[in-house]
Amino acid sequence: MRRGDLVTIAMDGDLGKPWLALVIQCDKLDEHATVTVLPVTSALVAAPLCSITIRPSAENGLQERSQVLADKAVTVKRDKVGPVFGRIDPDSMVEVERSLAVFPIRQRRPVDLAVKRYRDLLKELGQ
């Protein structure tokens, strides 16, 4: 599993319903017991700063137009992550990264602190 891969995840509280997700965690953190992802949904909304629209393709494995929700980063245990079913195209990944870089953080929640630590670690690793 690498940054940019599309997977399914099982999130707590959703009656075991699988969610599509985009892996955004740095590849060098592969030894961690958890992985950070962004949810992917087919319920499209007009929110260009935090919802990146992806068209279905053979490479990404999506069945319909979907959006990556850059404002909803979650970290899940690896045993809650299903197999890779596709990969986002490089141009869309750049859009996701730009959205993550400019997403406004109004209050410090645990996920906000995790994202900040993640970005700091990426700087240290030179990515």
Side-chain angles (χ1 to χ4, degrees):
M1 182 175 14
R2 300 177 308 152
R3 182 177 174 89
D5 284 343
L6 290 163
V7 296
T8 55
I9 60 171
M11 291 183 22
D12 294 335
D14 288 319
L15 303 174
K17 175 186 172 191
W19 284 82
L20 303 183
L22 172 68
V23 176
I24 60 166
Q25 183 162 299
C26 172
D27 295 343
K28 293 182 180 181
L29 299 177
D30 198 35
E31 298 298 319
H32 285 247
T34 59
V35 62
T36 303
V37 299
L38 296 175
V40 176
T41 181
S42 59
L44 306 181
V45 296
L49 287 179
C50 56
S51 297
I52 297 86
T53 302
I54 309 296
R55 296 187 184 280
S57 71
E59 292 79 26
N60 64 33
L62 296 171
Q63 302 300 311
E64 54 190 315
R65 278 182 38 171
S66 301
Q67 287 180 324
V68 177
L69 306 178
D71 60 334
K72 305 280 191 264
V74 293
T75 300
V76 296
K77 292 181 181 178
R78 286 186 182 268
D79 63 358
K80 300 284 186 181
V81 180
V84 173
F85 67 83
R87 185 157 181 80
I88 195 170
D89 65 275
D91 290 339
S92 295
M93 192 63 196
V94 167
E95 284 187 59
V96 169
E97 290 169 346
R98 284 181 183 153
S99 185
L100 288 171
V102 300
F103 184 72
I105 298 174
R106 290 198 165 80
Q107 53 181 299
R108 294 290 182 190
R109 299 171 295 165
V111 71
D112 297 331
L113 295 174
V115 169
K116 182 185 179 319
R117 283 193 293 263
Y118 174 71
R119 287 181 182 153
D120 292 344
L121 181 59
L122 284 179
K123 285 179 188 174
E124 286 179 32
L125 296 172
Q127 286 198 3

